[in-house]
């Protein structure tokens, strides 16, 4: 009975469901200048390849609305930013970090077939640095989900606003590819359940040990009879 109760405690322990979302944009800088050589060499950034990567934790957000889903935060909103790592902006092989401590946002919109759809991601740092990427179209080709993995190749029918400003360098980016991938983190016990789980495991172990001892006594008694 105790063992069964202990097993129930273990199986019914509260869990924290979270989804970590990895977002990557790649393409070419369409216009930009870097007077301070932040990206290795002072001067124009036009024509250089870029990559922007974000890591979001969507927490317990349901992500079930068919038309729009979003999670945002940061000091500008008085709530934690969903960015769990700084956004990494790489231009011409040189990378810098842009924290999303002021603003971090992940958003998906799809208003139906043949209608507006968009994926948007951004990170604003309290030091003034910022990077923002979005892709949109009017064909309904982009998902409203913010946790579904996909790879999207931008076409001439797509629009968007992708720009950056960091440490004196600034510019606009032409996106070629957007990749969203997931690493689900599930069944993480709440801190308050660890004690119950330990008690449960101890009870199961004690009952197993007790039954083994009783079996040994019965066998010994049968041999001496």
């Amino acid at each position: 009975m105790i063992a069964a109760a202990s097993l129930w405690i273990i199986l019914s322990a509260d869990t924290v469901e979270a989804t970590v979302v990895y977002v990557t944009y790649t393409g070419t800088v369409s216009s930009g200048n870097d007077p301070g050589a932040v990206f290795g060499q002072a001067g124009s950034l036009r024509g250089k390849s870029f990559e922007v990567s974000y890591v979001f934790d969507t927490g317990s957000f349901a992500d079930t609305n068919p038309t729009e889903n979003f999670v945002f935060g940061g000091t500008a909103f008085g709530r934690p930013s969903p960015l769990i790592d700084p956004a990494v902006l790489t231009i011409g092989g040189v990378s810098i970090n842009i924290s999303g401590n002021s603003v971090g946002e992940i958003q998906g919109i799809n208003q139906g077939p043949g209608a507006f759809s968009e994926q948007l991601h951004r990170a604003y740092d309290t030091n003034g640095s910022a990077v923002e990427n979005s892709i949109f179209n009017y064909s309904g080709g982009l998902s409203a989900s913010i946790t579904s993995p996909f790879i999207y190749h931008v076409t001439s029918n797509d629009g968007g606003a992708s720009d950056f400003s960091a440490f004196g360098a600034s510019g606009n980016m032409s996106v070629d590819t957007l990749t969203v991938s997931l690493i689900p983190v599930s069944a993480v016990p709440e801190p308050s359940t660890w004690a119950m789980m330990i008690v449960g495991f101890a009870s199961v172990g004690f009952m197993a040990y007790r039954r083994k001892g009783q079996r040994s006594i019965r066998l010994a008694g049968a041999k001496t009879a």
Side-chain angles (χ1 to χ4, degrees), residues 39-127:
F39 295 99
Q41 184 176 359
S44 175
L45 296 172
R46 183 174 182 177
K48 292 189 175 183
S49 62
F50 82 85
E51 178 180 291
V52 184
S53 60
Y54 303 87
V55 184
F56 294 95
D57 183 351
T58 61
S60 59
F61 184 78
D63 191 32
T64 55
N65 191 311
T67 59
E68 183 175 15
N69 296 282
F70 59 89
V71 178
F72 63 90
T75 57
F77 303 104
R79 66 175 72 178
S81 172
L83 274 164
I84 57 177
D85 286 323
V88 180
L89 169 61
T90 303
I91 296 178
V94 179
S95 300
I96 63 169
N97 291 342
I98 299 178
S99 173
N101 51 10
S102 177
V103 175
E105 183 176 5
I106 176 172
Q107 181 183 55
I109 299 174
N110 186 305
Q111 297 178 348
F116 181 77
S117 65
E118 180 182 33
Q119 283 278 322
L120 179 146
H121 308 86
R122 58 179 174 171
Y124 295 173
D125 198 323
T126 52
N127 67 9

Side-chain angles (χ1 to χ4, degrees), residues 5-26:
S6 302
L7 184 60
W8 179 85
I9 290 173
I10 295 168
L11 295 177
S12 63
D14 292 335
T15 60
V16 176
E17 296 290 338
T19 302
V20 175
V21 184
Y22 285 70
V23 179
T24 304
Y25 288 83
T26 59

Side-chain angles (χ1 to χ4, degrees), residues 89-170:
L89 169 61
T90 303
I91 296 178
V94 179
S95 300
I96 63 169
N97 291 342
I98 299 178
S99 173
N101 51 10
S102 177
V103 175
E105 183 176 5
I106 176 172
Q107 181 183 55
I109 299 174
N110 186 305
Q111 297 178 348
F116 181 77
S117 65
E118 180 182 33
Q119 283 278 322
L120 179 146
H121 308 86
R122 58 179 174 171
Y124 295 173
D125 198 323
T126 52
N127 67 9
S129 300
V131 61
E132 178 173 343
N133 300 94
S134 72
I135 301 172
F136 66 81
N137 58 46
Y138 291 89
S139 62
L142 291 160
S143 173
S145 171
I146 59 174
T147 62
S148 297
F150 68 91
I151 298 175
Y152 187 82
H153 299 286
V154 176
T155 72
S156 58
N157 296 321
D158 296 314
S162 293
D163 53 71
F164 65 91
S165 177
F167 310 108
S170 61

Side-chain angles (χ1 to χ4, degrees), residues 14 16 188-196:
D14 292 335
V16 176
V188 179
E190 293 278 8
S192 61
T193 67
W194 278 111
M196 287 193 302

